[in-house]
Amino acid sequence: MNKILAALVAGLFAAGAFAQAAAPATPAKPATPAVAATPAAPAAKAEVKAEAKPAAKAEAKEDKAAAAAAKKEKIAAAKKAKAEAAAAKKEAAAAKKAEKTAAKAEVKAEAKPAVAAAKAEAKK
C-alpha cells in the first residue's frame, strides 16, 4: 500500500512539474522614430506640474495649519474643562466645610444653655 501511495505522489509531482505552461514569448519592441514627434508637450507638462506643485503645497500648508489650530483648540478646551472641574470641586469642598462648621456651631449653641443651666444649679 505504501509503495502505491509513493508512486502516486511521485507521479503527481512529476505531472505538475511538466504540465506547466511555457512562458509566453515577449513581442519585439517597435522601432522608435529618430525625431521626437512633439517637443512642446514636455514643456506643457512641466508648466502644469509647476502650477500644481505650489497649489498642492499651499493646500498642504493650509491643512497642516487647520490641524494645528484644531489641536490647540482641543487642548484649550481640555484645560478649560479641567479648570472648571477643579473649581467645582473646590466649591463643593467649601460648601461641605461650611455645612460642617454650621452643624458644629448649632451643636455648641444647643449645648451652651444646658451647660449654663447645669452650672446655675450647681451654684445653688
Side-chain angles (χ1 to χ4, degrees), residues 22-120:
T26 57
K29 290 186 179 180
T32 57
V35 178
T38 53
K45 283 184 183 178
E47 283 181 25
V48 171
K49 281 185 181 179
E51 290 174 7
K53 279 186 180 181
K57 283 184 179 181
E59 192 174 311
K61 267 189 176 178
E62 288 174 2
D63 289 346
K64 276 187 178 181
K71 188 175 181 180
K72 284 182 182 178
E73 213 172 270
K74 186 178 178 182
I75 290 170
K79 282 184 179 179
K80 186 177 179 182
K82 191 175 181 180
E84 287 175 357
K89 191 175 180 181
K90 273 188 177 180
E91 284 180 17
K96 191 174 181 181
K97 188 175 181 180
E99 193 176 298
K100 272 187 175 180
T101 306
K104 281 184 180 180
E106 191 176 306
V107 169
K108 280 185 180 180
E110 288 175 3
K112 275 188 179 181
V115 170
K119 282 184 179 180

